[in-house]
């Protein structure tokens, strides 16, 4: 009888340890995903109506699918071309915000593709991959994509362009072998983006 009781206690203790261990693994995994994805983690939870388990499952799948992706460097010619195109888009925004955000959306899709991410024709797949490697900046691309499809006023489009520019600078700056790849973007050498900060609006706009 005593032996049976001892065995039962051991079994119960083993089950309890297993349950606690699994809980810790899940908690550690959640913390790891939250640390890796940052604001993207909160977005995933919101998309899943507060269901953290579902959000973490989705983010975990993103890591499995895109975590091994190796970003490809741009050639000097492509780098110069993308920088020139982005500068033109910024200038275009003053006269035609809608055309500018549409062009910025297309440019980011092409730039991400050239860096080795999925083709921009599959927007959700491309942003999922970008979120694994650039979680803190992918929101700007989503904002521009939304604005490019006619959702948002001039001020919202301007803010979308500012946010998207951070991802643009990251993708053209973080090249293989770069020693300053984590330096904040400095378009005018002083850390400023004059076109964005001046808040100039297109003619006839009251926003």
């Amino acid at each position: 009888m005593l032996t049976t009781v001892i065995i039962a206690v051991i079994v119960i203790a083993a089950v309890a340890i297993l349950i606690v261990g699994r809980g810790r693994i899940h908690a550690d995994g959640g913390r790891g995903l939250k640390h890796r994805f940052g604001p993207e983690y909160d977005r995933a939870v919101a998309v899943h109506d507060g269901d953290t388990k579902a959000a973490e499952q989705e983010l975990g799948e993103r890591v499995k699918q895109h975590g091994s992706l190796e970003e490809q460097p741009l050639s000097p010619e492509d780098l110069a071309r993308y920088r020139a195109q982005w500068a033109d888009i910024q200038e275009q925004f003053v006269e035609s915000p809608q055309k500018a955000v549409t062009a910025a959306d297309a440019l980011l899709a092409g730039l991400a593709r050239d860096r080795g991410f999925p083709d921009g024709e599959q927007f959700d797949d491309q942003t999922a991959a970008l979120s694994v490697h650039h979680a803190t900046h992918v929101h700007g691309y989503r904002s521009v994509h939304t604005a490019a499809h006619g959702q948002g006023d001039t001020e919202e489009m301007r803010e979308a362009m500012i946010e998207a520019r951070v991802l643009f600078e990251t993708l053209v700056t973080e090249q293989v072998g770069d020693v300053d790849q984590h330096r904040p973007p400095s378009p005018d050498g002083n850390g400023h983006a004059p076109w964005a900060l001046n808040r100039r609006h297109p003619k006839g706009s009251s926003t």
Side-chain angles (χ1 to χ4, degrees):
M1 181 66 178
L2 180 60
T3 302
T4 302
V5 172
I6 292 174
I7 293 174
V9 170
I10 293 174
V11 171
I12 293 172
V15 172
I17 291 172
L18 179 61
I19 292 173
V20 171
R22 286 181 176 176
R24 287 178 177 174
I25 291 173
H26 177 72
D28 290 342
R31 283 195 292 269
L33 288 170
K34 191 168 186 177
H35 176 74
R36 176 168 190 160
F37 284 93
E40 187 69 8
Y41 178 94
D42 296 331
R43 177 185 178 276
V45 172
V47 167
H48 287 280
D49 297 322
D51 188 339
T52 56
K53 185 176 181 180
E56 289 169 5
Q57 182 176 355
E58 179 192 330
L59 295 176
E61 287 299 320
R62 291 191 204 176
V63 174
K64 289 180 182 179
Q65 185 175 359
H66 304 293
S68 61
L69 183 151
E70 294 185 5
E71 296 185 62
Q72 303 301 310
L74 295 172
S75 68
E77 294 77 15
D78 284 341
L79 182 61
R81 173 172 58 85
Y82 275 119
R83 286 195 176 279
Q85 288 177 348
W86 188 265
D88 289 342
I89 289 171
Q90 291 182 160
E91 291 299 322
Q92 183 182 33
F93 185 88
V94 178
E95 296 297 330
S96 181
Q98 187 63 59
K99 288 183 179 180
V101 294
T102 300
D105 181 44
L107 183 148
L108 287 172
L111 174 57
R113 181 197 60 227
D114 288 350
R115 289 301 312 274
F117 291 94
D119 193 281
E121 292 183 3
Q122 300 295 328
F123 178 74
D124 290 339
D125 192 35
Q126 189 178 61
T127 51
L130 283 166
S131 74
V132 173
H133 297 270
H134 302 290
T136 57
H137 305 320
V138 71
H139 175 70
Y141 183 17
R142 288 200 185 97
S143 297
V144 154
H145 187 74
T146 298
H149 288 77
Q151 301 178 38
D153 57 24
T154 301
E155 180 62 17
E156 289 172 333
M157 286 189 281
R158 186 190 70 82
E159 292 175 357
M161 285 289 292
I162 294 174
E163 292 176 344
R165 187 182 170 282
V166 179
L167 177 62
F168 169 80
E169 287 292 342
T170 299
L171 291 175
V172 297
T173 302
E174 291 188 0
Q175 301 290 307
V176 176
D178 277 357
V179 294
D180 295 327
Q181 59 177 312
H182 298 298
R183 180 177 297 174
S186 301
D188 67 348
N190 298 310
H192 299 144
W195 75 275
L197 297 180
N198 288 340
R199 299 196 176 207
R200 292 181 295 173
H201 302 297
K203 296 177 181 179
S205 172
S206 60
T207 53

